[in-house]
Amino acid sequence: AQTVTQSQPEMSVQEAETVTLSCTYDTSESNYYLFWYKQPPSRQMILVIRQEAYKQQNATENRFSVNFQKAAKSFSLKISDSQLGDTAMYFCAFMKPGAQKLVFGQGTRLTINP
Amino acid sequence: SAVISQKPSRDICQRGTSLTIQCQVDSQVTMMFWYRQQPGQSLTLIATANQGSEATYESGFVIDKFPISRPNLTFSTLTVSNMSPEDSSIYLCSVEYAEQFFGPGTRLTVL
């Protein structure tokens, strides 16, 4: 079974700073997908970024980028120029191709301070 | 994209009763998923619901406790039966539509 671990329960940075959230996972699969989801206080889960394991290039979405290290089974999220609206719970998630179900990490509560 | 709505958005229930949560999506989808998010915790998959067949439950979840209906390609319900305070959670449905979209969740409190 796959497991996803987020070792940082909480993080806090000042607005405009860069912050990196850590995620490690365990799997015997060679192909899979990794995701970062954001859950603001409204509870709505929002996909931030996704990475296919067969792609060596790290995914980037505007201020959000990942550092995907397949051999180390590490998938960290970097948020550049952080904004107050980035305050949320962030969940790392794993999915096997064809399974369509997500395995989530424990989450990291990120607070952006003005 | 897919837009998902859930009803109710929140409810407070007495122990021993049951609550049915509805999930409506604006597109036809093959699979719908139900997750539970206990207070301060991550999301755990309860079951996968395909239209026209019985739901597939994850380890630790059973049909008697969480019966699911999937009458068509845009709608599903999850019932939380014979509730206890331990069932207090947020229940979210999601669909796979190029990516996984989530509903806004139903916050359930059991007294």
Side-chain angles (χ1 to χ4, degrees):
Chain A
Q2 289 77 27
T3 59
V4 179
T5 302
Q6 294 177 247
S7 59
Q8 304 151 311
E10 294 189 29
M11 295 189 72
S12 177
V13 299
Q14 297 300 118
E15 193 175 7
E17 289 184 346
T18 294
V19 59
T20 299
L21 309 182
S22 300
C23 173
T24 58
Y25 58 93
D26 187 26
T27 184
S28 58
E29 304 287 334
S30 59
N31 193 26
Y32 46 86
Y33 300 97
L34 295 164
F35 306 85
W36 278 98
Y37 280 88
K38 168 184 177 181
Q39 187 180 41
S42 66
R43 301 200 308 259
Q44 183 71 55
M45 292 285 285
I46 302 165
L47 178 64
V48 174
I49 200 165
R50 65 182 282 167
Q51 174 83 40
E52 288 93 345
Y54 63 85
K55 290 187 177 179
Q56 293 186 335
Q57 186 173 4
N58 289 323
T60 299
E61 287 288 339
N62 299 314
R63 298 183 295 107
F64 300 87
S65 61
V66 298
N67 183 4
F68 173 49
Q69 300 290 328
K70 191 173 183 179
K73 295 181 181 175
S74 170
F75 182 61
S76 60
L77 174 69
K78 185 172 84 171
I79 305 174
S80 303
D81 185 26
S82 57
Q83 301 175 359
L84 297 179
D86 295 332
T87 292
M89 283 290 290
Y90 286 81
F91 292 98
C92 179
F94 173 101
M95 185 173 75
K96 284 194 327 184
Q100 294 183 302
K101 61 183 183 182
L102 293 163
V103 177
F104 287 90
Q106 304 92 320
T108 296
R109 183 177 302 279
L110 175 65
T111 302
I112 310 298
N113 298 307
Chain B
S1 66
V3 177
I4 304 171
S5 59
Q6 285 185 234
K7 289 182 182 179
S9 60
R10 59 178 61 224
D11 207 340
I12 300 174
C13 301
Q14 297 297 319
R15 96 173 41 224
T17 63
S18 298
L19 176 72
T20 295
I21 302 167
Q22 299 179 5
C23 178
Q24 178 79 51
V25 62
D26 68 345
S27 306
Q28 292 186 339
V29 294
T30 303
M31 298 170 80
M32 296 178 78
F33 306 88
W34 287 98
Y35 287 86
R36 180 176 73 182
Q37 186 177 22
Q38 294 177 299
Q41 303 295 315
S42 185
L43 283 75
T44 302
L45 181 66
I46 298 171
T48 302
N50 285 331
Q51 193 267 335
S53 64
E54 283 207 3
T56 302
Y57 289 82
E58 297 297 304
S59 176
F61 298 96
V62 295
I63 187 171
D64 290 346
K65 176 66 175 178
F66 298 101
I68 288 172
S69 78
R70 183 76 202 276
N72 58 52
L73 292 173
T74 62
F75 186 79
S76 177
T77 66
L78 170 76
T79 299
V80 186
S81 303
N82 188 24
M83 289 184 285
S84 66
E86 292 70 35
D87 294 320
S88 297
S89 297
I90 297 171
Y91 293 85
L92 301 101
C93 70
S94 77
V95 302
E96 175 77 17
Y97 194 79
E99 66 180 63
Q100 281 224 358
F101 292 90
F102 285 83
T106 296
R107 183 183 293 276
L108 171 61
T109 302
V110 184
L111 303 178

